[in-house]
Amino acid sequence: MLWLSELLIQGYDLDSFEALTEAVKARASDGEVFFRMDVRPPFPDTPEDWENRLEAAFSTAQKR
């Protein structure tokens, strides 16, 4: 299971919401099956609908 907080801690070099989205896609492509969003991303460019965007990125990358 992929936890957003874990991804943020492991990806200390992530500097934007876009970079986080790409990291989520990469982990989904690597075979992660479940994704839990337990914290709000701390980036200034985090959109209001961040949960929907990350879920879409995860789900789309799983299907490839």
Side-chain angles (χ1 to χ4, degrees):
M1 176 173 303
L2 175 60
W3 291 86
L4 183 55
S5 58
E6 178 184 316
L7 185 59
L8 289 167
I9 291 169
Q10 292 173 354
Y12 60 89
D13 59 338
L14 297 174
D15 60 356
S16 68
F17 184 78
E18 182 61 34
L20 175 61
T21 302
E22 292 304 315
V24 167
K25 288 178 185 178
R27 292 289 296 268
S29 294
D30 288 345
E32 290 288 348
V33 178
F34 299 107
F35 179 44
R36 299 282 184 228
M37 292 173 269
D38 56 333
V39 295
R40 185 182 197 284
F43 309 111
D45 65 336
T46 299
E48 289 297 318
D49 63 343
W50 63 271
E51 294 108 330
N52 293 335
R53 291 186 185 200
L54 290 180
E55 184 63 41
F58 185 79
S59 298
T60 303
Q62 276 188 317
K63 296 177 182 178
R64 293 182 181 172

